[in-house]
Amino acid sequence: MSITELHKDIGTSKDNKQSPIHNWYRFTAGFSYKLVDKIIEEENLSKGDSIYESFAGCGTTLVSAQKKGISAYGNEGQELLFDVIQAKLNWDINKNLIESVLADIKQNIFNKGNHTKIYHKLLESLYTKENLFELYFIRDYIQSLDEKTKLFLKLALTQTLHKVSVHPIAVPYISRSKFLKNELSGLQMFEKTVRKMLDDLDSYQNIPKTTNIFHHDSRKTNYNIDSNSCSICITSPPYLNNLDYGEVSKVCSHFYGITDNWNDITEKVRKNLVTGATTHYKEADFQLEEWKKNQFYIENKNVIDNLMPDILKIKEISKNKKGKKSFDILALLYFEDMYNVLLEMRRVLKQRSKAYLVLGDSAPYGIFIDTTKLLGEIALNSGFNKYNIVKIRERGTKWTSLKNRHSLKLSENILILE
């Protein structure tokens, strides 16, 4: 099977649910580990090569690389996901220590405090008092452990947060119309999750660590990664679909004290991410004519000028929409951010190497934006020589029956840069 014959769900994380370590964290967006494996196979990558990952997410590319003994470097802008990835890449875990910690938690958890403690209001609306007590007790207990053990157990606890909530908390947003049946308590689910992770590691503990993850914004130069040092890039950037990754992860980030409110999400999370939602900026701060003076527009004038009629249509349509979302500004800032990502990508890649980007196109307010092709054109202005687009599947079809939604067929693609 070649890259052009991949199954239609390769751009989703469905396969990862059945793969050890890959399935340690549920994430709204993602792609299949099988795509990484196929690219490694087709490009004949070996232990002398290095993979670059601009948007490490929950670590699919890095975990796949490490399983095959291949070096890889990744950036992740979210602190929460950065910790998730660190845990997924540390396979040298002391099982006896973990067992001792579990035993100590079970022995002491019901002798400390009570169930009347005041918690974050959002968390109180999503968990029973009993589960909140147990979840917070575990969170505070593991803080004193060594870093590797703490991250391992923190990831198990993060999974537990998803499994014992009253409502689904990442679909991509909290789904209060749906209810989860929780037969296990927070402590019971935590222990079950830890033991499953330990079982998964039985086949991987003797495999050396070959990967590095950095808490870093890929729009900026990461001096920990040398120029012309990586053989290939495999990544999936945020889609231009107004999905706010900071909002999606707020339950977990509030629980761990990374954020506490909307402003915290903006300052501590959104500012480190590619502009992918209208919540990432203040509309009043954007002035088109001033924006056109920046390097991105100057270097990509041909691309943006061709796009501008559609941008203006989107702006005009928004005036009559209830939400009046500034998708026109969002699109321009998104492509500007991705230009900077592509510049950094080109810097770290060796000459004549490739980059594989899983992408989807978009249709804000029913105006089609060929995101994949546009990023291909912008890549040519970023130092790449050519691009090719492989269509994976049609997407967005489940929305066609809804009122006030466009009926355009969108696609998910692989953008291959050389």
Side-chain angles (χ1 to χ4, degrees):
M1 181 175 66
S2 71
I3 197 72
T4 59
E5 298 171 328
L6 293 168
H7 68 79
K8 65 182 180 64
D9 289 328
I10 204 74
T12 75
S13 57
K14 290 182 180 180
D15 293 326
N16 300 357
K17 295 177 182 178
Q18 308 303 321
S19 181
I21 303 177
H22 284 296
N23 61 11
W24 283 4
Y25 183 71
R26 296 172 58 190
F27 192 54
T28 300
F31 57 95
S32 173
Y33 75 93
K34 292 182 180 179
L35 175 60
V36 183
D37 289 352
K38 176 51 62 177
I39 293 172
I40 289 174
E41 177 186 329
E42 286 208 350
E43 296 295 335
N44 295 314
L45 300 183
S46 64
K47 293 182 179 180
D49 292 302
S50 292
I51 300 173
Y52 173 61
E53 197 358 332
S54 305
F55 303 96
C58 55
T60 301
T61 295
L62 302 184
V63 171
S64 290
Q66 187 158 295
K67 282 185 176 183
K68 294 183 176 295
I70 295 175
S71 172
Y73 301 90
N75 293 328
E76 176 49 50
Q78 288 200 61
E79 180 181 342
L80 176 71
L81 292 180
F82 173 66
D83 285 349
V84 166
I85 300 168
Q86 288 188 92
K88 290 176 78 171
L89 296 174
N90 286 324
W91 301 345
D92 183 21
I93 295 297
N94 186 330
K95 284 193 172 187
N96 292 331
L97 175 58
I98 298 294
E99 292 291 350
S100 175
V101 169
L102 285 176
D104 198 46
I105 289 175
K106 288 192 292 182
Q107 181 177 348
N108 291 285
I109 191 167
F110 298 115
N111 298 326
K112 305 287 185 179
N114 56 61
H115 295 176
T116 62
K117 182 178 178 181
I118 297 175
Y119 304 101
H120 193 286
K121 289 296 183 184
L122 177 62
L123 277 294
E124 287 187 336
S125 72
L126 294 170
Y127 301 90
T128 65
K129 283 284 187 180
E130 292 77 11
N131 277 339
L132 273 181
F133 172 79
E134 294 179 6
L135 294 169
Y136 272 87
F137 180 91
I138 296 168
R139 184 200 71 173
D140 295 341
Y141 181 98
I142 65 178
Q143 288 302 311
S144 62
L145 302 174
D146 68 273
E147 189 70 8
K148 186 180 293 185
T149 305
K150 180 179 73 174
L151 287 170
F152 181 83
L153 293 175
K154 181 180 178 181
L155 177 48
L157 184 57
T158 303
Q159 293 183 72
T160 304
L161 284 172
H162 285 265
K163 294 173 181 177
V164 301
S165 59
V166 176
H167 307 289
I169 64 173
V171 288
Y173 302 108
I174 299 168
S175 181
R176 294 191 181 273
S177 63
K178 298 180 180 180
F179 293 85
L180 298 177
K181 292 183 178 180
N182 301 314
E183 297 179 355
L184 300 179
S185 69
L187 175 60
Q188 291 169 333
M189 183 60 74
F190 173 72
E191 181 177 10
K192 179 180 178 181
T193 303
V194 169
R195 295 196 184 285
K196 190 267 180 189
M197 291 169 65
L198 289 175
D199 288 344
D200 283 351
L201 285 181
D202 283 342
S203 301
Y204 298 101
Q205 282 199 305
N206 293 324
I207 296 179
K209 191 173 187 297
T210 60
T211 53
N212 289 277
I213 179 66
F214 303 101
H215 186 201
H216 188 81
D217 180 347
S218 284
R219 295 171 296 180
K220 303 173 183 177
T221 302
N222 184 347
Y223 293 102
N224 293 295
I225 307 176
D226 293 336
S227 299
N228 306 308
S229 62
C230 295
S231 313
I232 198 169
C233 175
I234 305 173
T235 191
S236 181
Y239 293 6
L240 182 56
N241 60 4
N242 203 34
L243 177 59
D244 184 347
Y245 288 99
E247 178 81 2
V248 166
S249 61
K250 69 179 180 181
V251 173
C252 295
S253 63
H254 286 352
F255 175 74
Y256 288 115
I258 299 170
T259 58
D260 185 61
N261 50 49
W262 182 267
N263 185 65
D264 278 351
I265 295 173
T266 296
E267 294 298 319
K268 298 179 180 180
V269 182
R270 294 186 180 111
K271 285 190 174 181
N272 298 320
L273 307 177
V274 162
T275 304
T278 55
T279 50
H280 283 221
Y281 56 86
K282 293 181 179 178
E283 185 176 343
D285 291 342
F286 183 84
Q287 301 296 326
L288 181 59
E289 294 308 313
E290 281 298 310
W291 179 82
K292 285 184 176 181
K293 296 177 183 179
N294 68 26
Q295 179 190 359
F296 166 68
Y297 178 74
I298 293 170
E299 297 295 331
N300 295 274
K301 187 176 185 302
N302 57 328
V303 178
I304 299 305
D305 284 353
N306 287 333
L307 176 63
M308 196 56 68
D310 288 330
I311 294 294
L312 296 177
K313 285 181 187 177
I314 294 169
K315 182 178 182 180
E316 193 63 29
I317 293 172
S318 71
K319 296 176 182 178
N320 299 315
K321 293 292 184 178
K322 185 177 180 181
K324 291 183 170 58
K325 299 289 187 180
S326 55
F327 293 141
D328 54 315
I329 298 174
L330 172 60
L332 295 177
L333 295 179
Y334 172 82
F335 287 119
E336 178 184 3
D337 280 356
M338 283 302 301
Y339 170 68
N340 289 316
V341 170
L342 290 166
L343 286 175
E344 173 66 357
M345 187 184 297
R346 185 66 199 88
R347 181 190 72 81
V348 303
L349 288 176
K350 297 176 181 178
Q351 294 297 320
R352 293 182 293 279
S353 57
K354 292 181 182 178
Y356 289 80
L357 289 75
V358 180
L359 288 161
D361 45 31
S362 181
Y365 287 142
I367 303 300
F368 179 69
I369 295 182
D370 197 345
T371 308
T372 310
K373 183 177 180 181
L374 285 167
L375 287 176
E377 294 295 324
I378 291 171
L380 298 182
N381 296 329
S382 307
F384 289 91
N385 295 319
K386 61 180 180 179
Y387 69 88
N388 182 38
I389 297 173
V390 176
K391 182 177 178 179
I392 303 173
R393 66 180 177 113
E394 288 188 349
R395 55 185 285 269
T397 52
K398 64 182 178 181
W399 306 114
T400 55
S401 62
L402 299 181
K403 292 182 179 180
N404 302 319
R405 297 286 303 205
H406 66 77
S407 58
L408 296 178
K409 289 184 178 180
L410 302 178
S411 64
E412 191 164 51
N413 313 290
I414 300 175
L415 174 63
I416 306 174
L417 307 175
E418 296 185 45

